[in-house]
Amino acid sequence: MSGHSCLKQVYRFRLLLAGMVIWHSVDAQEAYKTGVNSDLIKTLQVRGTEILSDPIIELNGGKQIEINFDALESSSNRFAYIIEHCDADWKKSEFTPIEYLDGFQGMTIDDFANSIATTQHYTNFNLRIPNDDVKLKVSGNYAVKIYRENEPDKILVTACFSVVESLVKVTGEVTGNTLKDFNKEHQQVNFTLFLQNFAITYPQTDLRIYVFQNRRRDNVVTNLTPTSILRDRLVYDQNRKQIFEAGNEYRRFEFLSNTYNGMGVERIRFQNPYYHVFLQTGQVRSNRTYQYDQDQDGRFLIRCSKCDDPDTEADYDMVHFGLNSEPLLGGSVYLLSDIYNNVLDERSKMGYNFDTGQYEKSVLLKQGNYNYSYLFVPNGQTLAESGLIEGNFYQTENEYAIFVYYRPFGARYDRLISVTTLQN
């Protein structure tokens, strides 16, 4: 073996040990969510390799998960990552890395490039999984934890994705005819799981099913049992737990250049060190009639005018959100969007400005197209409500993802055996 090869093996072994140390130090009760833990990390995107696709791939299907983010710091800082296998609740599974990975932990992210002719300098990083260093052995949920190479104990980015082995088939419908009301404020998700010769002896206990509305976790539905069990199928129909607030279409805006106002933009001006983008003031929509709009269900797409590579040529502007409203007592208003990975916390919380009579928030964003909504969360609760600000309209076009996990008695992990997306 050449000296170069020996050094490479020693280097990889050292990184593997570092990854193992991190793995053993994790609290087994921690539930992972996609997000960042540093103000210097921006525009985290976790997706399939297709534009606007969800972070889901088939096991051994030949496709990759793409993790893309910007660091507002020198490119001399190298980033490394480890991968953890999770259960259906996104908590660390019982598996050790050797059981779910074929390859190395602690490898560096070597695909990066500096921004070009932007007001805000940044370095764009891109990681694809699986790759030459890492292959995935089993289905289920995964969390990628990214850190500076010299600070493995400080996790800066967590990127969650799922790997499915499609063993059963799910079909279904989204309807305004619910057990709560008829074509008013709610939507009901009814679906059937076709076994396709995949034996499930005890579906009530062996299956865990999760239904997500627009990738939100605050209102996810789980702990479902079949309403009918037939020889070749399981029916989940007319269950009150499968009812969601219908909400409203997402609000949209676009800023692709600092020289003209895009969709939803009122004005742009420069105030060192950023350009500032002021959006048109939002209004409460709960007292209005439903109006269809072709949104992307909360997603965003990085784009810029007259550029070849938005990853490195799109600039960062300070975007100012405003919602015209009286103070809403008994809770807080949050900005729901993939901007914040659909997490409702202090980062996405709006502040109230009594001088302007608005809920306001300023966010440093990369140029592109964005979707967002304003949701209200009552004090002491985690479930957001759309009715107070956005309204609830049964016609709203929502996206529902149904995840089916299988874990029979004695098994050590949750196999993801189906992912199906429904739209009304």
Side-chain angles (χ1 to χ4, degrees):
M1 181 181 293
S2 68
H4 176 74
S5 298
C6 288
L7 287 174
K8 187 174 182 180
Q9 290 299 323
V10 170
Y11 179 66
R12 287 186 168 183
F13 182 69
R14 177 172 62 84
L15 291 173
L16 175 61
L17 289 178
M20 292 291 287
V21 169
I22 295 173
W23 177 80
H24 282 296
S25 66
V26 171
D27 181 354
Q29 298 304 311
E30 181 182 0
Y32 294 115
K33 294 181 180 178
T34 294
V36 299
N37 297 315
S38 170
D39 291 335
L40 295 177
I41 304 299
K42 299 293 183 182
T43 318
L44 172 61
Q45 301 172 78
V46 188
R47 63 194 178 211
T49 49
E50 292 81 13
I51 293 177
L52 298 179
S53 60
D54 289 337
I56 304 165
I57 56 173
E58 287 276 348
L59 181 65
N60 300 321
K63 294 190 176 182
Q64 296 173 295
I65 292 294
E66 183 174 356
I67 302 169
N68 189 288
F69 64 92
D70 294 332
L72 309 186
E73 58 185 6
S74 170
S75 60
S76 61
N77 285 314
R78 293 172 63 87
F79 290 89
Y81 65 97
I82 61 172
I83 303 174
E84 294 186 354
H85 188 261
C86 304
D87 63 15
D89 291 322
W90 292 99
K91 297 177 181 178
K92 191 180 75 65
S93 73
E94 299 178 12
F95 274 3
T96 59
I98 197 171
E99 293 179 280
Y100 61 83
L101 283 184
D102 180 7
F104 300 93
Q105 294 276 45
M107 301 304 294
T108 56
I109 302 176
D110 297 324
D111 183 359
F112 59 88
N114 291 328
S115 60
I116 301 172
T118 54
T119 305
Q120 168 65 57
H121 174 75
Y122 60 88
T123 304
N124 178 259
F125 290 83
N126 194 68
L127 170 65
R128 295 195 176 194
I129 297 173
N131 52 49
D132 291 341
D133 299 311
V134 173
K135 302 294 187 296
L136 307 174
K137 293 182 178 180
V138 299
S139 67
N141 295 332
Y142 286 85
V144 179
K145 303 173 74 174
I146 299 173
Y147 53 92
R148 292 188 185 91
E149 187 181 21
N150 60 347
E151 295 180 312
D153 58 331
K154 296 181 180 179
I155 303 303
L156 301 180
V157 176
T158 302
C160 296
F161 68 91
S162 299
V163 177
V164 61
E165 44 183 330
S166 299
L167 300 176
V168 298
K169 180 181 178 181
V170 174
T171 63
E173 64 170 358
V174 180
T175 176
N177 183 7
T178 78
L179 295 174
K180 287 187 177 181
D181 52 30
F182 177 74
N183 287 353
K184 289 185 178 180
E185 298 184 352
H186 296 88
Q187 293 175 346
Q188 179 136 8
V189 181
N190 300 318
F191 59 94
T192 299
L193 193 157
F194 293 88
L195 301 180
Q196 300 187 139
N197 297 319
F198 183 74
I200 301 177
T201 307
Y202 302 105
Q204 299 93 332
T205 57
D206 294 351
L207 292 179
R208 297 188 66 184
I209 297 179
Y210 293 70
V211 183
F212 295 89
Q213 182 193 57
N214 301 329
R215 302 169 310 288
R216 291 169 56 182
R217 286 205 198 180
D218 67 297
N219 65 345
V220 61
V221 169
T222 187
N223 297 322
L224 298 176
T225 55
T227 53
S228 299
I229 300 177
L230 306 176
R231 180 182 61 83
D232 62 341
R233 71 193 68 180
L234 307 172
V235 180
Y236 297 79
D237 194 11
Q238 296 300 309
N239 185 337
R240 295 186 71 89
K241 292 185 65 174
Q242 296 166 213
I243 299 175
F244 293 80
E245 281 191 335
N248 203 341
E249 306 295 351
Y250 282 79
R251 302 168 190 251
R252 298 190 295 153
F253 71 93
E254 173 185 85
F255 67 113
L256 309 181
S257 169
N258 294 324
T259 60
Y260 63 87
N261 296 341
M263 175 183 61
V265 175
E266 184 175 289
R267 69 185 188 276
I268 299 175
R269 64 181 175 85
F270 182 78
Q271 182 177 335
N272 194 38
Y274 304 115
Y275 281 93
H276 289 252
V277 176
F278 294 85
L279 302 183
Q280 296 170 359
T281 301
Q283 305 296 327
V284 172
R285 300 192 292 174
S286 57
N287 55 359
R288 301 183 179 185
T289 57
Y290 170 78
Q291 184 174 354
Y292 171 75
D293 191 15
Q294 189 173 1
D295 61 14
Q296 286 75 47
D297 296 318
R299 297 178 175 89
F300 66 84
L301 176 64
I302 300 304
R303 294 179 58 202
C304 50
S305 178
K306 299 179 181 179
C307 68
D308 297 320
D309 183 7
D311 281 345
T312 55
E313 296 180 54
D315 210 342
Y316 273 89
D317 294 348
M318 187 65 71
V319 178
H320 299 268
F321 294 82
L323 172 67
N324 183 28
S325 169
E326 295 293 327
L328 302 176
L329 302 179
S332 301
V333 175
Y334 292 83
L335 193 64
L336 177 75
S337 171
D338 276 12
I339 295 171
Y340 294 105
N341 308 110
N342 299 297
V343 176
L344 306 176
D345 59 10
E346 287 302 314
R347 290 176 180 267
S348 56
K349 187 176 180 179
M350 306 282 291
Y352 193 79
N353 186 333
F354 285 91
D355 293 332
T356 61
Q358 296 180 4
Y359 282 93
E360 296 177 348
K361 191 168 190 64
S362 300
V363 189
L364 188 64
L365 295 178
K366 200 172 185 178
Q367 291 173 336
N369 304 86
Y370 287 83
N371 282 195
Y372 66 103
S373 288
Y374 294 117
L375 297 187
F376 180 78
V377 179
N379 292 334
Q381 297 187 26
T382 58
L383 177 62
E385 300 175 356
S386 58
L388 193 61
I389 301 173
E390 301 292 0
N392 285 307
F393 303 93
Y394 78 94
Q395 305 100 317
T396 302
E397 186 179 62
N398 288 309
E399 188 176 277
Y400 293 90
I402 303 171
F403 285 64
V404 181
Y405 298 89
Y406 175 64
R407 186 171 186 170
F409 180 77
R412 297 178 55 233
Y413 76 104
D414 296 317
R415 297 174 68 181
L416 182 55
I417 61 173
S418 178
V419 178
T420 301
T421 300
L422 304 177
Q423 289 182 319
N424 55 310

